[in-house]
Amino acid sequence: MDFSFTAGQEALRRDVRSFLEDEVRAGRWKPQCDAWIQGFDPSFTKRVASRGWIGLMWPKEYGGHERGFVDRLVVTEEMLRYGAPAALHWFADRQIGGSILRFGSDAQKNEFLPRIVRGEIYVGLGMSEPEAGSDLASLKTRAEEQDDCFIVNGQKTWTSGGSYVNYIDLFARTDFEAVKHKGITEFLVPMDLPGISRIPMTDITGTEAWNDIFFDNVRVPKECVIGERNKGFYHVVEELAYERGGMERLMGNYPLYDALKRFVRETKKDGRALIEDTHVRRLMAELEVEFEVGRLLMYRAAAVMDEGRPPTVEASTSKVYGTNFEQRLANLAMDLLGPYGPLTEDSPLAAMDGLAVHSYLASKGYSLQAGSTEVLKNIIATRGLGLK
Ligand SMILES: Cc1cc2nc3c(=O)[nH]c(=O)nc-3n(C[C@H](O)[C@H](O)[C@H](O)COP(=O)(O)OP(=O)(O)OC[C@H]3O[C@@H](n4cnc5c(N)ncnc54)[C@H](O)[C@@H]3O)c2cc1C
């Protein structure tokens, strides 16, 4: 496989970098870990949109540029490298727009895709429920058909960006007799419908980037159904491959990685830079090799998508690998900082802007979100290696 970038991709990378350099230099935001999922900034999303970097791959008639998955990965890689606050448009750009394009009606494509491209629609993922995570097909939220709408009742949990989104990509049960994965339908639901309420969830880092979302007799118009009724589980399986195969699984903590590399060069112990210590040097070298391997795995998943094949196994592999890398990175940063590790940004003694403790705590969830490591290993074993 040829991993060299085309001239167009190199030019795109330069454009995105120079845009992000200007943004940071102008002090518009500060690079943060997890900003792809926790950095909510409508004006940044608008500026990215005006550059044409949302919906990059979609047909021109909907505002896209008909470029490939590798091109998009170049853009997201740079967003992550700079820790840019891209959370508002990330999900619609990564998977919901693709689902509308693949399964939606012409009316839905015309209505939603240009608005996503313009940075006006922010979509949350309404899949998981308190008793349906890995076994998503057992979800209980009900959508019962009545006249011109569906009456929706139930609860979604862990909805990323739930406090900020104006739409939710909802998976609800519409056939109550069918086997569980055959009775689920996908809906794109405006969050301002009466009966929808949200409660922020505070995670171990103190972040409120997630929500429980409740549906209490919500009248969801039939036009909100995406694709065929009762085919939602098949949609979600496809969408999850895109969710898992992205660079965010490797580079969500890139600002920490960058800071760690500076830290071992600039911090002295017994008169020598930490990086001169053979043990630290070996650990940093291992990390760098792992990072580069992870990058190749991400590009491999994108190349498979560009070939039009579902990247189920490749995306599962890269997600497991990337998650492990991020957890090792956070652990190493904490080890090297010793007692200073738990200090947050507001402490005058904090090193690396206090990024390490955030990543250390947040990274526990990385091997759960978008499919747990154990479940992904099952997919790699059965679908990839053909094990029974
Ligand atoms: C930070 C974060 C953000 C998230 N964002 C969203 C979001 O935006 N939208 C959304 O819908 N969901 C979101 N989720 C939910 C996420 O998808 C679920 O947490 C995940 O699918 C696991 O489900 P669960 O938490 O119910 O754990 P469970 O499914 O109950 O799993 C518990 C444990 O059992 C193991 N396990 C389960 N089944 C198997 C099996 N068959 N074989 C081996 N081991 C197994 C798992 O690996 C795990 O260790 C998010 C989660 C987190 C932590």
Side-chain angles (χ1 to χ4, degrees):
M1 192 175 276
D2 179 6
F3 277 113
S4 53
F5 294 103
T6 64
Q9 287 160 351
E10 296 287 12
L12 179 61
R13 188 186 296 282
R14 280 194 301 277
D15 283 352
V16 179
R17 273 194 188 182
S18 115
F19 162 78
L20 294 171
E21 284 286 346
D22 289 347
E23 290 267 313
V24 174
R25 210 173 298 120
R28 296 207 171 98
W29 40 268
K30 197 171 161 211
Q32 291 292 345
C33 289
D34 280 328
W36 70 274
I37 196 170
Q38 296 182 5
F40 307 102
D41 181 342
S43 61
F44 177 73
T45 283
K46 277 279 184 197
R47 290 194 293 279
V48 174
S50 71
R51 300 285 173 133
W53 295 331
I54 303 178
L56 193 67
M57 304 176 309
W58 304 342
K60 291 186 175 154
E61 63 182 303
Y62 304 121
H65 295 270
E66 301 184 0
R67 296 187 70 152
F69 283 95
V70 170
D71 300 49
R72 181 176 174 274
L73 198 55
V74 166
V75 175
T76 54
E77 182 178 8
E78 295 310 316
M79 294 284 166
L80 294 158
R81 189 185 307 284
Y82 285 81
L88 283 177
H89 60 268
W90 199 273
F91 296 90
D93 181 42
R94 178 180 70 188
Q95 67 203 84
I96 314 299
S99 197
I100 296 170
L101 198 56
R102 184 145 154 68
F103 304 111
S105 64
D106 285 344
Q108 287 168 334
K109 289 179 204 170
N110 281 316
E111 179 179 355
F112 294 115
L113 296 178
R115 288 174 62 202
I116 294 174
V117 164
R118 291 198 299 268
E120 294 168 3
I121 293 192
Y122 321 135
V123 190
L125 304 179
M127 299 180 290
S128 306
E129 297 181 0
E131 289 172 54
S134 303
D135 182 16
L136 188 61
S138 63
L139 63 81
K140 294 197 178 78
T141 295
R142 293 170 75 90
E144 290 170 81
E145 191 169 359
Q146 196 185 89
D147 308 323
D148 57 345
C149 67
F150 286 86
I151 307 293
V152 176
N153 281 289
Q155 177 187 352
K156 293 293 164 181
T157 193
W158 277 116
T159 306
S160 303
S163 294
Y164 307 91
V165 294
N166 46 20
Y167 282 84
I168 183 163
D169 187 41
L170 174 73
F171 291 86
R173 190 162 300 286
T174 38
D175 185 332
F176 311 97
E177 310 300 326
V179 270
K180 57 185 187 178
H181 62 283
K182 291 194 170 164
I184 295 168
T185 297
E186 180 176 10
F187 300 84
L188 188 63
V189 179
M191 285 296 287
D192 57 2
L193 291 184
I196 300 182
S197 56
R198 20 189 167 187
I199 298 180
M201 302 166 73
T202 308
D203 75 7
I204 192 173
T205 68
T207 305
E208 279 189 5
W210 337 101
N211 273 228
D212 275 315
I213 301 205
F214 300 88
F215 297 83
D216 182 9
N217 285 319
V218 180
R219 297 180 72 84
V220 173
K222 287 187 176 165
E223 303 86 81
C224 295
V225 172
I226 304 285
E228 268 184 69
R229 272 185 217 185
N230 300 321
K231 288 280 162 55
F233 190 72
Y234 303 96
H235 298 192
V236 90
V237 168
E238 214 169 279
E239 284 181 29
L240 278 170
Y242 299 107
E243 183 174 345
R244 292 166 179 159
M247 201 56 100
E248 59 272 32
R249 306 299 168 195
L250 181 77
M251 286 179 67
N253 288 302
Y254 197 84
L256 171 66
Y257 191 28
D258 219 21
L260 179 63
K261 286 194 257 188
R262 275 198 311 278
F263 179 78
V264 294
R265 280 197 307 269
E266 292 167 6
T267 307
K268 295 222 161 89
K269 192 174 169 211
D270 302 330
R272 282 195 319 163
L274 276 184
I275 194 67
E276 300 300 329
D277 178 291
T278 38
H279 182 55
V280 172
R281 200 174 182 78
R282 187 175 59 77
L283 291 173
M284 291 302 291
E286 272 174 12
L287 211 56
E288 184 65 20
V289 170
E290 285 165 10
F291 175 73
E292 288 303 328
V293 171
R295 239 186 121 228
L296 291 178
L297 288 174
M298 300 304 166
Y299 275 101
R300 179 177 73 155
V304 166
M305 295 180 211
D306 273 338
E307 284 169 19
R309 288 191 285 130
T312 314
V313 174
E314 291 80 1
S316 300
T317 310
S318 57
K319 203 245 161 191
V320 170
Y321 189 94
T323 297
N324 278 335
F325 169 81
E326 295 211 292
Q327 290 176 340
R328 280 195 297 271
L329 165 67
N331 290 347
L332 178 57
M334 289 296 274
D335 283 349
L336 290 177
L337 285 173
Y340 296 93
L343 298 180
T344 47
E345 194 185 10
D346 44 12
S347 163
L349 294 177
M352 301 185 221
D353 283 340
L355 293 172
V357 64
H358 166 90
S359 297
Y360 180 74
L361 295 173
S363 64
K364 307 299 172 210
Y366 299 165
S367 41
L368 261 183
Q369 65 190 112
S372 76
T373 292
E374 292 77 14
V375 167
L376 296 181
K377 282 184 177 172
N378 284 344
I379 294 175
I380 297 165
T382 50
R383 308 277 292 273
L385 302 173
L387 302 176
K388 298 284 177 226

